[in-house]
Protein backbone atom coordinates (compact mmCIF):
# COMPACT_ATOMS: atom_id res chain seq x y z
CA UNK A 1 0.00 0.00 0.00
CA UNK A 2 1.43 3.42 -0.83
CA UNK A 3 2.46 5.54 2.12
CA UNK A 4 -0.39 8.01 2.55
CA UNK A 5 1.15 9.96 5.40
CA UNK A 6 1.75 13.67 4.87
CA UNK A 7 5.46 14.49 4.54
CA UNK A 8 5.26 16.63 7.69
CA UNK A 9 3.62 13.87 9.77
CA UNK A 10 6.26 13.35 12.50
CA UNK A 11 5.82 9.59 12.27
CA UNK A 12 7.54 9.78 8.86
CA UNK A 13 10.73 10.82 10.68
CA UNK A 14 11.01 7.64 12.70
CA UNK A 15 11.36 3.93 12.08
CA UNK A 16 7.77 3.02 12.96
CA UNK A 17 8.38 -0.66 12.19
CA UNK A 18 10.72 -0.86 15.20
CA UNK A 19 9.13 1.91 17.26
CA UNK A 20 5.34 2.05 16.69
CA UNK A 21 4.90 5.36 18.50
CA UNK A 22 1.85 6.22 16.39
CA UNK A 23 -0.19 3.15 17.37
CA UNK A 24 -2.74 3.02 20.17
CA UNK A 25 -1.11 2.40 23.55
CA UNK A 26 -2.98 -0.92 23.84
CA UNK A 27 -1.51 -2.26 20.62
CA UNK A 28 0.47 -5.41 21.53
CA UNK A 29 3.46 -4.53 19.34
CA UNK A 30 3.71 -1.07 20.89
CA UNK A 31 3.26 -2.46 24.37
CA UNK A 32 6.08 -4.96 23.86
CA UNK A 33 8.47 -2.19 22.79
CA UNK A 34 7.47 0.02 25.73
CA UNK A 35 7.96 -2.87 28.18
CA UNK A 36 11.44 -3.61 26.87
CA UNK A 37 12.54 0.03 27.04
CA UNK A 38 10.97 0.53 30.45
CA UNK A 39 13.01 -2.43 31.66
CA UNK A 40 16.20 -0.99 30.11
CA UNK A 41 15.64 2.37 31.78
CA UNK A 42 14.89 0.82 35.18
CA UNK A 43 17.91 -1.50 34.96
CA UNK A 44 20.54 0.77 33.38
CA UNK A 45 19.24 4.27 34.08
CA UNK A 46 19.33 4.83 30.32
CA UNK A 47 17.10 3.62 27.50
CA UNK A 48 18.69 3.55 24.07
CA UNK A 49 16.47 3.52 20.99
CA UNK A 50 18.96 2.94 18.21
CA UNK A 51 17.82 3.69 14.67
CA UNK A 52 14.86 5.69 16.00
CA UNK A 53 15.13 8.67 13.63
CA UNK A 54 15.47 7.96 9.91
CA UNK A 55 18.71 8.90 8.10
CA UNK A 56 16.73 11.42 5.97
CA UNK A 57 15.34 13.23 9.01
CA UNK A 58 18.74 13.13 10.74
CA UNK A 59 20.31 14.77 7.67
CA UNK A 60 17.67 17.52 7.72
CA UNK A 61 18.27 18.23 11.41
CA UNK A 62 22.03 18.44 10.80
CA UNK A 63 21.46 20.85 7.89
CA UNK A 64 19.18 23.04 10.03
CA UNK A 65 21.82 23.14 12.78
CA UNK A 66 24.51 24.11 10.28
CA UNK A 67 22.40 26.88 8.72
CA UNK A 68 21.41 28.35 12.08
CA UNK A 69 24.84 28.02 13.68
CA UNK A 70 25.64 31.70 13.05
CA UNK A 71 22.89 32.61 15.53
CA UNK A 72 23.91 30.09 18.20
CA UNK A 73 25.14 31.13 21.62
CA UNK A 74 28.59 29.91 22.63
CA UNK A 75 28.20 28.62 26.15
CA UNK A 76 31.64 28.85 27.75
CA UNK A 77 31.56 28.47 31.48
CA UNK A 78 33.31 27.02 34.49
CA UNK A 79 30.90 25.76 37.12
CA UNK A 80 30.28 22.84 39.40
CA UNK A 81 28.43 19.64 38.59
CA UNK A 82 25.53 21.23 40.48
CA UNK A 83 25.38 24.10 37.96
CA UNK A 84 26.62 26.65 40.46
CA UNK A 85 29.81 28.42 41.43
CA UNK A 86 32.40 26.58 43.56
CA UNK A 87 31.59 26.89 47.25
CA UNK A 88 34.78 27.48 49.21
CA UNK A 89 33.18 26.49 52.49
CA UNK A 90 33.67 22.88 51.37
CA UNK A 91 37.13 21.27 51.68
CA UNK A 92 39.43 21.23 48.70
CA UNK A 93 38.61 18.40 46.31
CA UNK A 94 34.96 18.33 47.33
CA UNK A 95 32.57 18.18 44.33
CA UNK A 96 30.79 21.34 45.54
CA UNK A 97 34.11 23.15 45.26
CA UNK A 98 35.30 21.62 41.99
CA UNK A 99 34.70 23.53 38.77
CA UNK A 100 34.41 21.84 35.39
CA UNK A 101 34.50 23.45 31.96
CA UNK A 102 31.72 23.47 29.39
CA UNK A 103 32.09 24.99 25.97
CA UNK A 104 29.51 24.34 23.28
CA UNK A 105 27.30 26.13 20.79
CA UNK A 106 23.65 26.02 21.80
CA UNK A 107 20.72 26.79 19.53
CA UNK A 108 17.77 27.61 21.74
CA UNK A 109 14.25 26.42 20.95
CA UNK A 110 13.24 29.68 19.27
CA UNK A 111 16.12 29.40 16.81
CA UNK A 112 15.12 25.92 15.65
CA UNK A 113 13.01 26.29 12.49
CA UNK A 114 9.38 25.16 12.67
CA UNK A 115 10.09 22.83 9.74
CA UNK A 116 12.96 21.07 11.55
CA UNK A 117 12.16 17.38 12.15
CA UNK A 118 13.62 17.66 15.66
CA UNK A 119 11.15 20.40 16.51
CA UNK A 120 8.23 18.55 14.95
CA UNK A 121 9.12 15.39 16.86
CA UNK A 122 9.43 17.33 20.12
CA UNK A 123 6.05 18.97 19.61
CA UNK A 124 4.33 15.70 18.70
CA UNK A 125 2.05 14.63 21.55
CA UNK A 126 2.27 10.95 20.58
CA UNK A 127 6.03 10.99 21.21
CA UNK A 128 5.63 12.60 24.65
CA UNK A 129 3.02 9.98 25.51
CA UNK A 130 5.28 7.13 24.30
CA UNK A 131 8.26 8.44 26.29
CA UNK A 132 6.01 8.92 29.31
CA UNK A 133 5.08 5.26 29.18
CA UNK A 134 8.76 4.27 29.06
CA UNK A 135 9.64 6.58 31.96
CA UNK A 136 6.62 5.33 33.90
CA UNK A 137 6.37 8.18 36.44
CA UNK A 138 2.88 9.38 35.60
CA UNK A 139 2.16 11.92 32.89
CA UNK A 140 5.17 13.45 31.22
CA UNK A 141 5.15 17.11 30.18
CA UNK A 142 7.29 18.93 27.70
CA UNK A 143 9.14 21.68 29.53
CA UNK A 144 7.38 25.00 29.31
CA UNK A 145 10.53 26.92 28.47
CA UNK A 146 10.68 28.97 25.27
CA UNK A 147 14.48 28.73 25.20
CA UNK A 148 15.37 25.49 26.90
CA UNK A 149 12.62 22.97 26.18
CA UNK A 150 14.31 22.03 22.91
CA UNK A 151 17.95 22.66 21.98
CA UNK A 152 20.33 21.78 19.24
CA UNK A 153 23.89 21.65 20.55
CA UNK A 154 26.77 21.86 18.13
CA UNK A 155 30.22 21.00 19.44
CA UNK A 156 33.37 21.86 17.50
CA UNK A 157 36.87 20.55 18.10
CA UNK A 158 37.84 21.18 21.73
CA UNK A 159 34.26 21.73 22.86
CA UNK A 160 33.27 19.77 25.93
CA UNK A 161 30.50 19.48 28.49
CA UNK A 162 31.82 18.96 31.98
CA UNK A 163 30.35 16.55 34.49
CA UNK A 164 26.97 17.75 35.69
CA UNK A 165 23.45 16.96 36.77
CA UNK A 166 20.65 18.52 34.74
CA UNK A 167 18.08 20.78 36.31
CA UNK A 168 15.51 18.95 34.17
CA UNK A 169 13.82 15.73 35.27
CA UNK A 170 14.29 13.84 32.03
CA UNK A 171 16.33 14.57 28.96
CA UNK A 172 15.93 12.86 25.66
CA UNK A 173 18.80 13.24 23.24
CA UNK A 174 18.78 12.48 19.56
CA UNK A 175 22.21 11.86 18.12
CA UNK A 176 22.44 13.80 14.86
CA UNK A 177 26.12 13.85 13.87
CA UNK A 178 29.16 12.22 15.45
CA UNK A 179 32.57 13.86 15.59
CA UNK A 180 35.63 12.03 14.24
CA UNK A 181 36.70 11.22 17.78
CA UNK A 182 35.73 12.16 21.33
CA UNK A 183 32.26 13.60 21.91
CA UNK A 184 31.14 10.48 23.77
CA UNK A 185 28.29 10.72 26.21
CA UNK A 186 29.56 9.43 29.55
CA UNK A 187 27.13 8.74 32.34
CA UNK A 188 26.82 7.40 35.87
CA UNK A 189 23.12 6.64 36.19
CA UNK A 190 21.55 7.11 39.63
CA UNK A 191 24.75 8.67 41.01
CA UNK A 192 22.62 10.47 43.56
CA UNK A 193 19.16 10.14 44.96
CA UNK A 194 16.98 12.52 46.93
CA UNK A 195 18.77 13.25 50.20
CA UNK A 196 21.85 11.20 49.34
CA UNK A 197 24.45 13.05 47.27
CA UNK A 198 27.19 10.39 47.63
CA UNK A 199 29.90 13.06 47.34
CA UNK A 200 32.81 10.63 47.69
CA UNK A 201 31.73 8.72 44.62
CA UNK A 202 31.10 11.98 42.74
CA UNK A 203 34.65 13.10 43.61
CA UNK A 204 35.96 9.88 42.05
CA UNK A 205 34.04 10.52 38.86
CA UNK A 206 35.34 14.10 38.67
CA UNK A 207 38.90 12.89 39.31
CA UNK A 208 38.63 10.22 36.59
CA UNK A 209 39.11 7.35 39.03
CA UNK A 210 35.59 5.88 38.98
CA UNK A 211 36.57 3.14 36.52
CA UNK A 212 33.75 1.14 35.04
CA UNK A 213 31.08 2.89 37.06
CA UNK A 214 31.17 5.34 34.15
CA UNK A 215 29.24 4.07 31.12
CA UNK A 216 30.51 5.42 27.81
CA UNK A 217 28.05 5.77 24.93
CA UNK A 218 29.59 6.57 21.56
CA UNK A 219 27.31 8.56 19.25
CA UNK A 220 25.37 6.78 16.56
CA UNK A 221 23.25 9.17 14.47
CA UNK A 222 19.54 8.39 14.70
CA UNK A 223 19.74 7.03 18.25
CA UNK A 224 17.28 8.41 20.78
CA UNK A 225 18.43 8.15 24.38
CA UNK A 226 16.33 8.68 27.51
CA UNK A 227 18.01 9.37 30.83
CA UNK A 228 17.20 10.86 34.18
CA UNK A 229 19.55 13.82 34.00
CA UNK A 230 18.60 15.11 37.43
CA UNK A 231 20.25 12.17 39.17
CA UNK A 232 22.57 10.87 36.46
CA UNK A 233 26.02 12.46 36.56
CA UNK A 234 27.03 12.90 32.94
CA UNK A 235 29.35 14.71 30.57
CA UNK A 236 30.37 14.90 26.91
CA UNK A 237 34.07 14.18 26.41
CA UNK A 238 36.12 16.71 24.40
CA UNK A 239 35.41 16.68 20.67
CA UNK A 240 38.34 15.86 18.41
CA UNK A 241 38.55 16.52 14.67
CA UNK A 242 36.97 18.79 12.05
CA UNK A 243 33.44 17.36 12.08
CA UNK A 244 31.17 19.02 14.63
CA UNK A 245 29.05 16.88 16.94
CA UNK A 246 25.34 17.66 16.79
CA UNK A 247 22.68 16.53 19.25
CA UNK A 248 19.02 17.51 19.67
CA UNK A 249 17.93 17.70 23.31
CA UNK A 250 14.31 17.48 24.43
CA UNK A 251 13.44 18.55 27.98
CA UNK A 252 10.61 16.88 29.90
CA UNK A 253 9.26 17.24 33.41
CA UNK A 254 6.91 15.31 35.65
CA UNK A 255 4.92 18.49 36.35
CA UNK A 256 3.42 21.02 33.91
CA UNK A 257 4.74 24.57 33.57
CA UNK A 258 8.40 23.76 34.30
CA UNK A 259 11.04 26.24 33.14
CA UNK A 260 14.73 26.77 33.87
CA UNK A 261 16.20 29.58 35.96
CA UNK A 262 17.24 32.90 34.42
CA UNK A 263 20.84 32.16 35.41
CA UNK A 264 20.82 28.89 33.50
CA UNK A 265 19.21 30.61 30.51
CA UNK A 266 21.90 33.29 30.50
CA UNK A 267 24.68 30.73 30.66
CA UNK A 268 23.25 28.47 27.99
CA UNK A 269 21.53 30.87 25.58
CA UNK A 270 23.05 34.24 26.44
CA UNK A 271 19.60 35.73 27.13
CA UNK A 272 16.51 35.16 29.23
CA UNK A 273 13.77 36.11 26.78
CA UNK A 274 12.69 34.47 23.53
CA UNK A 275 13.16 36.33 20.29
CA UNK A 276 10.12 38.30 19.23
CA UNK A 277 10.12 37.15 15.64
CA UNK A 278 8.90 33.60 15.28
CA UNK A 279 11.35 31.40 13.43
O1 LIG B 1 25.00 16.31 24.25
C1 LIG B 1 24.68 15.38 25.00
O2 LIG B 1 24.73 14.21 24.65
C2 LIG B 1 24.18 15.68 26.38
C3 LIG B 1 24.19 17.14 26.68
C4 LIG B 1 23.87 17.46 28.10
O3 LIG B 1 24.12 16.74 29.00
C5 LIG B 1 23.22 18.75 28.41
O4 LIG B 1 23.08 19.58 27.51
O5 LIG B 1 22.80 18.95 29.56
FE1 LIG C 1 23.06 17.34 30.75
Amino acid sequence: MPDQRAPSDPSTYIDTARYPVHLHHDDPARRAVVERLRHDLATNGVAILDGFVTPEAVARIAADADVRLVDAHLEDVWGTAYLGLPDESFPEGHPRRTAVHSRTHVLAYDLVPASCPARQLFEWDALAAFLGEIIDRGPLYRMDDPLGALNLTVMDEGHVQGWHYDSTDFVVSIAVRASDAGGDFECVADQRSTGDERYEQVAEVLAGTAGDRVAVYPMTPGTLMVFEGRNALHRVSPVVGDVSRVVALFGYATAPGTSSSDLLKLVRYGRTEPLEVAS
Side-chain angles (χ1 to χ4, degrees):
M1 203 168 78
D3 190 341
Q4 294 179 336
R5 294 176 298 179
S8 60
D9 175 345
S11 76
T12 61
Y13 302 140
I14 66 177
D15 182 348
T16 47
R18 290 180 68 190
Y19 304 103
V21 173
H22 59 301
L23 297 183
H24 190 271
H25 68 88
D26 279 341
D27 179 273
R30 187 181 187 282
R31 274 175 49 182
V33 172
V34 166
E35 279 306 320
R36 177 169 59 80
L37 295 169
R38 195 182 273 184
H39 176 263
D40 289 353
L41 185 60
T43 313
N44 308 322
V46 175
I48 295 174
L49 288 65
D50 60 302
F52 185 82
V53 180
T54 65
E56 295 76 19
V58 163
R60 279 179 54 190
I61 301 169
D64 286 335
D66 289 341
V67 167
R68 281 291 165 100
L69 186 61
V70 286
D71 299 318
H73 176 66
L74 179 64
E75 172 185 354
D76 192 358
V77 65
W78 285 86
T80 69
Y82 307 91
L83 307 179
L85 293 173
D87 181 343
E88 309 238 320
S89 66
F90 287 94
E92 217 160 290
H94 192 283
R96 289 272 178 192
R97 193 171 168 167
T98 306
V100 296
H101 188 209
S102 292
R103 182 176 166 90
T104 176
H105 297 293
V106 186
L107 274 163
Y109 194 175
D110 58 354
L111 289 170
V112 180
S115 59
C116 179
R119 181 164 178 162
Q120 294 183 359
L121 283 169
F122 179 62
E123 292 174 353
W124 187 30
D125 290 343
L127 180 61
F130 178 75
L131 296 170
E133 285 172 45
I134 295 168
I135 289 168
D136 201 19
R137 299 271 191 91
L140 189 67
Y141 300 89
R142 286 186 284 268
M143 283 186 78
D144 192 6
D145 183 333
L147 299 178
L150 165 69
N151 288 188
L152 298 180
T153 75
V154 181
M155 298 175 71
D156 290 336
E157 171 133 53
H159 286 191
V160 62
Q161 287 190 51
W163 288 107
H164 66 280
Y165 297 108
D166 293 332
S167 57
T168 313
D169 290 334
F170 288 95
V171 173
V172 164
S173 70
I174 291 177
V176 175
R177 187 167 62 214
S179 47
D180 289 336
D184 293 332
F185 179 75
E186 303 185 353
C187 183
V188 184
D190 298 320
Q191 171 57 67
R192 70 173 176 186
S193 55
T194 309
D196 187 3
E197 292 283 352
R198 295 195 271 275
Y199 286 128
E200 281 181 21
Q201 291 184 12
V202 175
E204 287 174 4
V205 174
L206 299 182
T209 58
D212 60 11
R213 284 204 300 118
V214 178
V216 179
Y217 300 96
M219 288 245 319
T220 311
T223 296
L224 181 150
M225 188 187 298
V226 186
F227 63 99
E228 191 175 3
R230 192 180 282 288
N231 291 323
L233 188 61
H234 57 281
R235 74 161 192 161
V236 180
S237 63
V239 165
V240 178
D242 292 340
V243 180
S244 59
R245 174 193 193 267
V246 179
V247 164
L249 296 167
F250 299 179
Y252 295 97
T254 52
T258 308
S259 191
S260 54
S261 69
D262 280 356
L263 178 64
L264 201 73
K265 286 184 179 127
L266 274 177
V267 168
R268 273 185 81 75
Y269 319 112
R271 55 196 163 95
T272 57
E273 298 301 322
L275 301 172
E276 279 173 21
V277 184
S279 51

